[in-house]
Amino acid sequence: MKDSFPTPPTPAMSDPITLNVGGKLYTTSLATLTSFPDSMLGAMFSGKMPTKQDSQGNCFIDRDGKVFRYILNFLRTSHLDLPEDFQEMGLLRREADFYQVQPLIEALKEKEVELSKAEKNAMLNITLNQRVQTVHFTVREAPQIYSLSSSSMEVFSANIFSTSCLFLKLLGSKLFYCSNGNLSSITSHLQDPNHLTLDWVANVEGLPEEEYTKQNLKRLWVAPANKQINSFQVFVEEVLKIALSDGFCVDSSHPHALDFMNNKIIRLIRYR
């Protein structure tokens, strides 16, 4: 007589189930995963489509694990909740298309329209500061003969805020730091999508190139003109070119005319 083994019970709709999505684990329920029956997830977890398992027995889906949290939350609440600084809308849209959650796809389209309207009207505010600092360095006069020298150095800082994340990305793509003999895009220093702080120095007379690296002194360049920015006047001119070409205009009501002429505060606005 053959031994018989009991068939594993089918999980109840409310029982927890763990998913491995691109290496990231999520715990939810069958009720949540099948809340939209016409979606790919609905088909997978209602038995209409085969599923794969990882080495731990979790259902495995070879898709992006990070943005799946927003998809899973939509399955739970039927509401699209995204952080204000969300930067992966394109990726989330592709994932929603893959899972074929139609209400989520429609919600994403509405969100993109909303963001597009918000981007059209924008404000750009730039506060500039400048100071003179003494830099000390050694100069090689002959083999094994060095002398100590010093020179005045202009140090610039620009605090830039814009309600348009896309404009700040555009601006960052045209400005470059020169450091360690290499140019690096400002975009890589953009940590806050609405805020950018720049610090740089002008060329220092007599300062050897290696001293810029040794003392961590960054210089600023603008593309495509390949021009080094050694003064606020040049900086303002180049930023204005970029901003005006993107539809901005000078806000005549703010700041005070003297502040604008002295390159202390610049405020531009865009209406579309």
Side-chain angles (χ1 to χ4, degrees):
M1 182 176 179
K2 293 183 179 180
D3 293 333
S4 60
F5 296 94
T7 302
T10 302
M13 296 297 282
S14 60
D15 285 350
I17 181 172
T18 300
L19 307 181
N20 178 344
V21 184
K24 193 170 180 65
L25 298 181
Y26 291 92
T27 299
T28 183
S29 68
L30 281 178
T32 295
L33 293 171
T34 56
S35 56
F36 295 97
D38 294 334
S39 69
M40 182 176 288
L41 288 169
M44 289 172 64
F45 291 97
S46 62
K48 296 177 183 178
M49 288 181 63
T51 59
K52 297 180 180 180
Q53 291 186 332
D54 65 11
S55 59
Q56 304 300 314
N58 302 314
C59 179
F60 176 72
I61 303 175
D62 189 17
R63 299 297 295 187
D64 188 274
K66 183 179 177 182
V67 300
F68 186 75
R69 61 173 293 195
Y70 304 110
I71 295 170
L72 185 57
N73 282 336
F74 188 87
L75 298 181
R76 290 167 173 153
T77 66
S78 297
H79 191 272
L80 179 61
D81 293 303
L82 298 175
E84 290 185 4
D85 59 348
F86 187 68
Q87 298 293 305
E88 297 184 291
M89 188 66 73
L91 175 59
L92 180 55
R93 185 174 61 250
R94 287 191 293 275
E95 294 302 292
D97 285 337
F98 172 80
Y99 293 112
Q100 283 298 296
V101 183
Q102 288 300 326
L104 174 57
I105 293 172
E106 294 303 316
L108 284 168
K109 288 179 181 177
E110 293 177 6
K111 186 67 174 180
E112 288 180 321
V113 170
E114 177 188 328
L115 292 174
S116 177
K117 289 180 179 178
E119 279 286 349
K120 289 180 180 179
N121 299 330
M123 184 269 287
L124 172 65
N125 195 82
I126 305 174
T127 305
L128 304 171
N129 285 294
Q130 178 181 1
R131 70 181 189 276
V132 177
Q133 182 177 314
T134 301
V135 59
H136 302 280
F137 54 94
T138 56
V139 178
R140 184 180 182 184
E141 298 181 346
Q144 299 183 350
I145 299 177
Y146 296 85
S147 63
L148 182 62
S149 184
S150 63
S151 183
S152 295
M153 174 178 65
E154 288 185 287
V155 181
F156 306 103
S157 66
N159 202 321
I160 306 171
F161 171 80
S162 178
T163 56
S164 171
C165 305
L166 294 179
F167 175 74
L168 273 194
K169 285 186 177 180
L170 172 67
L171 183 64
S173 70
K174 295 182 180 294
L175 296 174
F176 296 82
Y177 276 138
C178 178
S179 181
N180 298 323
N182 298 309
L183 292 178
S184 62
S185 172
I186 295 299
T187 305
S188 61
H189 300 267
L190 191 61
Q191 298 180 342
D192 183 331
N194 295 103
H195 183 255
L196 177 62
T197 300
L198 301 177
D199 297 286
W200 76 97
V201 301
N203 270 345
V204 181
E205 184 178 355
L207 184 66
E209 186 65 31
E210 61 269 18
E211 287 291 333
Y212 287 97
T213 301
K214 187 184 297 183
Q215 301 197 36
N216 194 28
L217 303 175
K218 293 178 289 189
R219 289 161 289 178
L220 191 64
W221 290 72
V222 62
N226 292 327
K227 180 189 297 184
Q228 185 175 348
I229 298 177
N230 280 315
S231 69
F232 269 150
Q233 181 178 349
V234 174
F235 177 78
V236 170
E237 289 174 355
E238 295 300 327
V239 170
L240 282 177
K241 287 178 187 176
I242 299 168
L244 293 176
S245 69
D246 201 49
F248 283 89
C249 61
V250 176
D251 184 354
S252 58
S253 64
H254 181 87
H256 190 279
L258 287 177
D259 284 333
F260 184 84
M261 294 303 294
N262 291 332
N263 293 338
K264 291 181 180 179
I265 300 175
I266 302 170
R267 183 170 179 177
L268 299 101
I269 51 177
R270 182 178 68 195
Y271 297 113
R272 289 179 176 173

